[in-house]
Amino acid sequence: MIVVTGGAGFIGSNIVRALNERGESNILLVDHLVNGRKMHNIADLDIADYMDKAQFIEKIESPTFLNDIKAVFHQGACSATTEWDGQFVMMNNYDYSKRLLHWCIAKNAAFMYASSASVYGNGEHGFRVDRKCEHPINMYAYSKFQFDQYVRQLLPNTKSPIVGFRYFNVYGPREQHKGSMSSTAFHFNRQVIEQKRAKLFSGCDGLADGEQKRDFVHVDDVVDVNLWFLDHPDRHGIYNVGTGHAETFNTVARSVIEWHKEGSIEYIPFPEHLKGAYQSYTQADISGLRQAGYSKAFMGVKEGVTRYLNWLNSAANKYWPEQK
């Protein structure tokens, strides 16, 4: 059996989809469906069982619970960067992850987990998987960073397949439930449909309007990396998962407008509360990923946004009718 935590979320549900496409349905999906609309993410997927996160955490304390586990894809977390209840965040992201990690080691199961590029803070020291580059600036980022640190202590002393993925700016299908935290491609698409304009921030940090850059990575590429490590259990460590190329918000907006064959860009004033606390640039150093043996090319923004909008403006609405 394969376990996917956060399995009704964005990346988790896409991992389940990809496993299904491989013919794998012996999957335990773990989530916390307070937002019941997330069921639209998994209504077309095949799993063996569903379990609430709280029940799952309790069950893994039992040595007889699920003895035949091949792998755990741990995607579940409190992902709100605005959550400052440190006790809550550490309990959900750090303590939970530690317990699950040790459970996997005891079961000799692969443990692949979601870290985050947020551990690099404002990125002033670069985006390498290197302690010198890491300086989290919110509780979410700190919880991910500290778990990476814990994993680093264990890696030299265990043969278990343990892999952490520092996701950069992921976009793609099954993210509608994220609301304001959904990708810029999602928001630009809605704005062009409803207002014929994509709204971008004006320039900041010496950059021209809309020229802030991110490493935008399509969720299909993220999933492919996860499954590659499932197929290569001899690899372990912590890796950046991005394209390795920063592209501007203007490029994303223009790709959306080109897909719709209409629309324009409107630049809005840069928010005062974000000044001094905004990443104007991110770009993953994926040299570690390449050294591990993952050689597949990543989609650029134009290709990725086109693929996403083909899905978002057709099939997506049947899964999320309230989003029309």
Side-chain angles (χ1 to χ4, degrees):
M1 175 173 275
I2 293 175
V3 177
V4 182
T5 72
F10 175 30
I11 296 175
S13 63
N14 276 286
I15 289 174
V16 175
R17 170 193 55 79
L19 289 169
N20 282 176
E21 290 172 356
R22 288 184 164 202
E24 179 67 67
S25 60
N26 190 20
I27 300 166
L28 171 62
L29 190 152
V30 178
D31 211 295
H32 185 52
L33 288 176
V34 172
N35 177 5
R37 289 187 176 88
K38 287 166 62 178
M39 58 77 54
H40 292 297
N41 282 343
I42 56 176
D44 62 329
L45 305 179
D46 295 319
I47 61 173
D49 199 4
Y50 169 85
M51 189 172 290
D52 185 81
K53 169 188 168 183
Q55 183 184 11
F56 179 67
I57 293 173
E58 181 180 341
K59 289 280 190 180
I60 63 175
E61 297 299 321
S62 169
T64 60
F65 176 58
L66 296 180
N67 287 319
D68 189 21
I69 294 294
K70 177 180 180 181
V72 172
F73 291 94
H74 182 38
Q75 308 297 308
C78 168
S79 59
T81 58
T82 54
E83 178 57 71
W84 286 103
D85 184 337
Q87 185 180 43
F88 173 81
V89 173
M90 293 302 282
M91 183 178 298
N92 279 272
N93 294 0
Y94 183 65
D95 293 341
Y96 175 26
S97 297
K98 284 204 303 181
R99 292 167 69 179
L100 191 50
L101 168 61
H102 285 287
W103 183 70
C104 286
I105 292 173
K107 300 288 185 183
N108 197 31
F111 180 72
M112 288 160 284
Y113 71 94
S115 183
S116 170
S118 66
V119 302
Y120 299 117
N122 60 20
E124 63 180 330
H125 299 297
F127 299 92
R128 302 184 314 278
V129 181
D130 186 317
R131 179 66 183 93
K132 296 176 183 177
C133 300
E134 299 159 3
H135 191 91
I137 57 176
N138 56 57
M139 270 309 308
Y140 166 74
Y142 179 77
S143 69
K144 292 296 186 179
F145 159 76
Q146 191 55 48
F147 185 65
D148 284 348
Q149 289 286 79
Y150 188 80
V151 166
R152 282 168 165 158
Q153 297 177 63
L154 291 184
L155 281 173
N157 303 311
T158 179
K159 294 182 179 180
S160 296
I162 302 170
V163 189
F165 301 115
R166 290 181 173 174
Y167 300 140
F168 276 68
N169 286 74
V170 188
Y171 65 95
R174 305 176 196 263
E175 65 167 327
Q176 296 96 315
H177 65 280
K178 294 175 65 178
S180 63
M181 298 299 291
S182 296
S183 70
T184 52
F186 175 82
H187 290 296
F188 292 162
N189 179 69
R190 292 290 300 274
Q191 290 165 3
V192 169
I193 290 173
E194 296 173 1
Q195 305 167 29
K196 310 303 180 189
R197 296 188 306 277
K199 297 182 178 181
L200 282 69
F201 289 152
S202 58
C204 64
D205 298 329
L207 298 170
D209 293 348
E211 288 296 296
Q212 301 91 340
K213 290 184 175 182
R214 291 280 193 281
D215 192 330
F216 298 102
V217 57
H218 193 285
V219 70
D220 286 354
D221 284 333
V222 168
V223 169
D224 193 74
V225 171
N226 273 266
L227 296 191
W228 187 87
F229 278 91
L230 176 67
D231 296 336
H232 295 81
D234 57 318
R235 311 299 203 275
H236 63 272
I238 299 169
Y239 301 92
N240 284 333
V241 181
T243 67
H245 298 284
E247 300 194 60
T248 68
F249 285 89
N250 280 325
T251 301
V252 179
R254 288 168 186 149
S255 297
V256 172
I257 290 167
E258 182 177 338
W259 190 94
H260 285 284
K261 296 182 172 59
E262 65 174 347
S264 60
I265 294 175
E266 175 186 348
Y267 298 107
I268 60 176
F270 193 87
E272 286 293 328
H273 72 279
L274 290 179
K275 290 181 179 179
Y278 184 80
Q279 286 183 318
S280 296
Y281 176 85
T282 67
Q283 180 171 285
D285 179 332
I286 58 172
S287 58
L289 199 60
R290 297 310 192 200
Q291 289 167 12
Y294 186 82
S295 59
K296 184 177 177 180
F298 289 87
M299 281 181 270
V301 160
K302 185 173 181 180
E303 178 186 358
V305 167
T306 298
R307 178 184 294 198
Y308 181 25
L309 267 57
N310 287 342
W311 181 91
L312 186 59
N313 295 312
S314 56
N317 280 332
K318 78 178 180 182
Y319 301 132
W320 289 82
E322 71 275 8
Q323 295 287 328
K324 287 185 177 179

